[in-house]
Amino acid sequence: IPKKKKREEESKEVFGYPISIFFIIVNEFCERFSYYGMRAVLVLYFKYFFQWNDDLAISIYHTFVAFCYLTPIFGAIVADSWLGKFRTIIYLSIVYAVGQVAMAVSAIHDITDKNRDGTPDNLTFHVVLSMVGLMLIALGTGGIKPCVAAFGGDQFGDQQEKQRRTFFSVFYLCINGGSLLSTIITPILRAQDCGIHSKSKCYSLAFGVPAALMVVALAVFIMGSSMYYKAKPEGNIMFKVSKCIGFAIKNRYRHRSKQYPKKEHWMDWAEEKYDKLLIAQIKIALRVLFLYIPLPMFWTLFDQKGSRWTLQATTMDGNFGAIVIQPDQMQTINPILILTLVPIMDSLIYPLIRKCGLNFTPLRKMTVGMILAALAFFCAAVIQLQIDKTLPDFPSKTQSQLKLLNMGNTAIKVQLPGSEEFTLPGAQASEDYFQFDSEQIVVSVGNPSVTKSVLLTKEQRQTLLIPSAINDEWLLADDLIYKPQEGNNEIRFINGMSKPLNVSSDAVQLGVINPFHYSNYTQIKNGRATFTLQDGSHSCEYSKDFGFGGSYTFFVPSTLSFGSNVNKFNVPTVYMNIKPNSVHMALQIPQYFLITAGEVMFSVTGLEFSYSQAPSNMKSVLQAGWLLTNAVGNFIVLIVAEIAKLPKQWTEYILFASLLVAVCIIFSIMASFYTYIDPTEIEAQFKNKSYDSDEDDDKKKLEKSEHKMEKRNSVSSDEEDNKSNQTSM
């Protein structure tokens, strides 16, 4: 039975579609949810759970993404040459699921948190387990990437071309749907507090849900096993292409001497061993692959939306009124815009451009896409400049910074080295930090003045607590020298009363603070928090709204009177050590719009161009080359960031944007020399030539055989004449 007929007899259909494809679609949705959900929180996991700096977190992130785009070549070769698509998907999905489970386990801090402080004590265990998990995920997701869509296409017969097109549309919708939902849900899970003995950010749940979805994806795919049409592996074209190119290079090297005639194309040196049609197809593919050389730079910028842009969002205000957006949730803008822009571009923008009489070729679309991506990074640089203006200026290694707090109720005169005398109001702190290069400074306070020597700490911010009785002991409190992480706030209380003070809230417990002393810093989330202040049998409540990433000190003066609530005339003094994030996350929307519009014009058009210009048997080769550009682009992020080592983040954005503009100019020049072709026509010409040459060969053979026959006949007649002559003689 022919394969197509056999497939049609075995498959069961619903509304004209094979039942088997529904299992494939559900599998793809769950797998994409698993991948993008894990990837959405990955860079924050490196930064906050492992306490890695931004550069290391980004380097590991982009290395992982690069390997995810390298392994599809491996998956395609294994599926086409050895296991077949079905078994390749099954085996690598198991590897994939194990990797996701390993990631979820690596994020459980309680495994090594022996002192129960909410942080792991043995980071090596967690790092090693997560790296193993990421390697398995890269192998799994990349390995099945080229197989699932093709396997779904195999389920349709020749007469189901319309259904096949609909399947691929739904398949693409599932990819974006899974990506959209996962980038909304997993950041919410990450932001929760969870733990067995102590609470911390719930990365284990953020990785655990994608792991569960991957197990579901595998189970659903296996459930449809009996309904699938499973084509046998028929060999991979990439092997044949590689051998042909290798032979051409080797043969050209062997005939490098001038005594050998030159050939029109270096691939023509393979004619001794390989078919002319295959060589012509490789030539066509190489012309397209040559255009791929500048393309990795686009992916260098594009994939940073999941790393640099996410870290940029951590320093911004995510309060949108009714909802609070997590930094890693900003990535949801990309799939939302893709689902919106693709139909708008196809049905509105491109037809309008054609009506204007402009020849908007695929390569021109790709060029515009690259320009839009560069503009997105220029926007990111402008926003980063605004963020930098709000960031605190921490002391260098040779400097110290000092803030003063008057714990008394009356104003005092203060004299510091290198500055004029100023008045510090009662129960107030100095507005800014004073900076000093020397560790030992002399401070004069009051009238008559009391002078004391204060020993500061290099590379440290400190607050000098001046008591109401100036001759009493002066305390130095260490302040934060880093921006609070994950959008949280750091708070502390200073007790200016003569009695111990107990401070508590639903979220945190600061405990008992001795008179004229201070508490340690404690993290608190954004939003409204209510604190209960207790002085023995008396208590009162005090409420405050918090933003993102601020550091606050609350000074409770001796004049505080306890009652049911603290009124506006009788409140703790609040001063900010570090200002909260003030640049709003909504300002990232333009750069996301530009990068997504660039993706639609570059990526979607690029795939269409590659498919239309590829010979019939070289489409998988060009697909592998396309994925390779993505992998190389992620490696470029590591190389450029390592070589440049720019001190300011906005300058790095400008550098990447400038590099893409330069590459875009090179690509546009290369594209101007490209001639669009119809590969099927060229293949048909070679097939016709081959047929004609076969006919010519047959004619020559026939003529040759006829000539031989004539010769043989003439020889035999001569022999007979000789015999007759001999007889007559």
Side-chain angles (χ1 to χ4, degrees):
I1 301 174
K3 288 184 180 179
K4 297 282 182 184
K5 190 176 179 182
K6 189 176 180 182
R7 169 168 46 207
E8 290 161 12
E9 289 177 358
E10 289 179 353
S11 63
K12 298 177 182 178
E13 296 183 357
V14 175
F15 303 115
Y17 293 87
I19 294 178
S20 55
I21 66 160
F22 296 102
F23 294 95
I24 296 170
I25 286 172
V26 173
N27 165 271
E28 181 66 12
F29 175 84
C30 294
E31 187 274 325
R32 290 291 87 186
F33 184 107
S34 177
Y35 174 72
Y36 283 109
M38 177 276 303
R39 182 173 150 177
V41 300
L42 189 60
V43 74
L44 297 185
Y45 175 62
F46 293 154
K47 180 177 173 61
Y48 297 130
F49 192 87
F50 292 156
Q51 297 297 309
W52 288 350
N53 61 41
D54 289 1
D55 291 335
L56 180 57
I58 286 170
S59 297
I60 301 300
Y61 173 86
H62 284 286
T63 302
F64 165 70
V65 175
F67 277 108
C68 287
Y69 286 101
L70 280 176
T71 50
I73 300 172
F74 163 78
I77 292 172
V78 169
D80 292 344
S81 305
W82 181 28
L83 295 177
K85 297 184 188 74
F86 175 75
R87 285 197 294 167
T88 301
I89 294 170
I90 292 288
Y91 295 157
L92 291 181
S93 291
I94 294 170
V95 172
Y96 192 168
V98 171
Q100 289 282 30
V101 171
M103 282 297 296
V105 173
S106 75
I108 302 174
H109 68 274
D110 288 295
I111 294 175
T112 61
D113 185 16
K114 294 179 181 178
N115 57 5
R116 300 184 180 181
D117 63 349
T119 57
D121 298 329
N122 183 9
L123 268 179
T124 304
F125 168 81
H126 297 274
V127 171
V128 170
L129 188 59
S130 66
M131 292 303 106
V132 170
L134 289 176
M135 285 191 290
L136 295 177
I137 291 169
L139 179 62
T141 187
I144 67 174
K145 189 187 291 289
C147 300
V148 179
F151 186 69
D154 288 345
Q155 308 307 307
F156 295 89
D158 287 339
Q159 79 288 356
Q160 294 178 302
E161 190 60 37
K162 182 181 177 183
Q163 289 89 336
R164 184 187 282 112
R165 285 199 301 269
T166 306
F167 162 74
F168 282 120
S169 299
V170 175
F171 189 84
Y172 186 72
L173 186 67
C174 286
I175 292 173
N176 286 282
S179 168
L180 176 61
L181 284 177
S182 64
T183 47
I184 293 173
I185 294 170
T186 51
I188 295 173
L189 300 177
R190 175 196 62 79
Q192 307 305 309
D193 290 329
C194 66
I196 301 170
H197 304 298
S198 56
K199 303 294 182 183
S200 68
K201 294 298 180 186
C202 207
Y203 289 99
S204 55
L205 185 59
F207 290 139
V209 170
L213 263 292
M214 189 59 225
V215 173
V216 170
L218 176 59
V220 168
F221 188 76
I222 292 173
M223 284 169 61
S225 175
S226 60
M227 304 179 193
Y228 298 138
Y229 167 74
K230 302 163 189 172
K232 293 181 179 179
E234 298 177 352
N236 192 279
I237 187 64
M238 283 188 281
F239 278 141
K240 201 171 183 180
V241 171
S242 301
K243 287 179 180 178
C244 184
I245 293 173
F247 179 79
I249 294 171
K250 194 187 298 181
N251 201 25
R252 174 69 185 88
Y253 181 76
R254 281 202 303 262
H255 297 82
R256 62 187 181 277
S257 176
K258 291 182 179 179
Q259 66 184 24
Y260 297 104
K262 289 185 178 181
K263 292 186 180 288
E264 187 178 346
H265 192 281
W266 61 271
M267 274 301 302
D268 293 334
W269 288 99
E271 288 179 352
E272 296 176 15
K273 187 176 180 181
Y274 291 91
D275 182 47
K276 287 186 177 182
L277 175 60
L278 176 65
I279 294 170
Q281 290 168 332
I282 293 174
K283 286 179 185 178
I284 296 169
L286 288 175
R287 290 176 71 247
V288 179
L289 289 173
F290 176 71
L291 286 176
Y292 283 2
I293 293 173
L295 303 190
M297 202 63 215
F298 174 86
W299 301 114
T300 298
L301 275 68
F302 179 78
D303 281 327
Q304 288 190 66
K305 64 183 173 59
S307 56
R308 284 290 183 195
W309 287 11
T310 299
L311 293 178
Q312 185 185 61
T314 63
T315 59
M316 303 176 79
D317 182 4
N319 190 350
F320 282 77
I323 58 171
V324 174
I325 300 295
Q326 298 297 325
D328 33 359
Q329 281 182 314
M330 286 300 290
Q331 298 175 57
T332 58
I333 296 174
N334 178 250
I336 291 172
L337 287 174
I338 284 177
L339 295 173
T340 307
L341 288 176
V342 168
I344 290 175
M345 290 283 192
D346 288 339
S347 60
L348 184 63
I349 305 298
Y350 295 153
L352 280 175
I353 293 173
R354 282 196 294 270
K355 283 187 177 180
C356 292
L358 297 174
N359 185 19
F360 204 33
T361 62
L363 293 178
R364 287 174 183 170
K365 290 178 187 176
M366 293 172 69
T367 304
V368 173
M370 295 167 85
I371 293 170
L372 290 174
L375 288 174
F377 263 62
F378 282 122
C379 287
V382 172
I383 292 170
Q384 190 63 46
L385 278 169
Q386 299 303 313
I387 293 171
D388 289 348
K389 292 176 183 177
T390 67
L391 296 177
D393 186 17
F394 293 116
S396 66
K397 293 182 179 180
T398 61
Q399 295 173 331
S400 303
Q401 291 181 352
L402 183 69
K403 186 184 281 282
L404 305 176
L405 173 63
N406 181 6
M407 299 176 71
N409 300 317
T410 58
I412 57 174
K413 298 285 186 180
V414 180
Q415 178 69 54
L416 293 173
S419 62
E420 296 180 0
E421 186 180 68
F422 63 94
T423 300
L424 188 61
Q428 295 293 325
S430 56
E431 187 175 349
D432 296 315
Y433 280 92
F434 296 94
Q435 192 158 283
F436 302 98
D437 293 325
S438 58
E439 290 183 281
Q440 194 89 18
I441 64 169
V442 176
V443 182
S444 299
V445 176
N447 190 13
S449 66
V450 174
T451 302
K452 289 193 177 185
S453 179
V454 178
L455 182 64
L456 302 177
T457 305
K458 291 287 186 183
E459 205 177 353
Q460 182 66 52
R461 279 184 161 189
Q462 295 173 294
T463 298
L464 180 62
L465 308 182
I466 304 173
S468 54
I470 297 175
N471 290 313
D472 289 352
E473 181 186 7
W474 295 4
L475 294 178
L476 266 178
D478 290 339
D479 299 344
L480 292 182
I481 53 170
Y482 58 86
K483 184 83 171 169
Q485 297 181 342
E486 300 187 70
N488 291 322
N489 300 279
E490 299 267 1
I491 64 167
R492 68 178 175 188
F493 277 76
I494 297 176
N495 182 10
M497 305 176 68
S498 57
K499 295 180 181 180
L501 182 70
N502 189 305
V503 182
S504 63
S505 74
D506 293 337
V508 295
Q509 297 290 329
L510 286 93
V512 177
I513 307 170
N514 292 325
F516 310 113
H517 277 72
Y518 54 91
S519 69
N520 293 325
Y521 277 104
T522 303
Q523 279 194 357
I524 193 166
K525 291 183 178 180
N526 68 292
R528 191 171 185 81
T530 300
F531 301 95
T532 301
L533 312 179
Q534 290 182 320
D535 173 20
S537 58
H538 305 95
S539 67
C540 63
E541 290 186 346
Y542 169 69
S543 298
K544 179 170 175 57
D545 292 315
F546 292 94
F548 296 86
S551 173
Y552 303 84
T553 295
F554 296 86
F555 172 63
V556 182
S558 59
T559 56
L560 181 72
S561 61
F562 289 89
S564 59
N565 286 299
V566 178
N567 59 52
K568 63 181 180 179
F569 302 107
N570 180 35
V571 296
T573 301
V574 184
Y575 66 89
M576 287 185 289
N577 303 99
I578 297 173
K579 293 179 181 179
N581 304 342
S582 56
V583 180
H584 204 274
M585 275 189 203
L587 292 177
Q588 278 196 324
I589 293 175
Q591 67 198 54
Y592 271 100
F593 176 83
L594 288 169
I595 199 83
T596 306
E599 179 191 7
V600 171
M601 299 191 78
F602 179 87
S603 182
V604 176
T605 307
L607 287 169
E608 176 194 342
F609 166 77
S610 301
Y611 193 87
S612 67
Q613 296 296 292
S616 57
N617 63 339
M618 296 284 167
K619 298 189 189 299
S620 61
V621 175
L622 293 185
Q623 178 70 16
W626 182 264
L627 293 173
L628 189 62
T629 65
N630 205 315
V632 174
N634 280 273
F635 283 126
I636 291 174
V637 178
L638 313 181
I639 296 167
V640 173
E642 187 64 28
I643 293 173
K645 291 189 179 297
L646 299 173
K648 296 290 185 180
Q649 184 55 52
W650 69 268
T651 57
E652 188 174 294
Y653 288 141
I654 294 292
L655 173 63
F656 279 116
S658 303
L659 287 173
L660 184 57
V661 169
V663 167
C664 183
I665 293 169
I666 295 169
F667 177 74
S668 62
I669 294 170
M670 293 169 63
S672 65
F673 289 99
Y674 184 84
T675 305
Y676 292 86
I677 60 168
D678 185 355
T680 54
E681 285 187 8
I682 295 174
E683 289 173 338
Q685 289 173 10
F686 270 89
K687 286 174 182 176
N688 290 336
K689 283 180 182 179
S690 176
Y691 178 74
D692 292 342
S693 65
D694 288 344
E695 283 189 337
D696 291 341
D697 289 343
D698 290 342
K699 285 180 181 178
K700 287 178 182 177
K701 287 178 182 176
L702 187 62
E703 289 174 358
K704 196 173 182 181
S705 62
E706 287 175 352
H707 179 68
K708 285 181 179 178
M709 289 292 291
E710 288 175 2
K711 194 174 180 182
R712 191 178 300 146
N713 291 336
S714 64
V715 169
S716 59
S717 64
D718 289 343
E719 287 178 349
E720 287 176 0
D721 288 343
N722 289 333
K723 284 179 182 177
S724 62
N725 289 335
Q726 287 174 4
T727 307
S728 56
M729 282 174 69

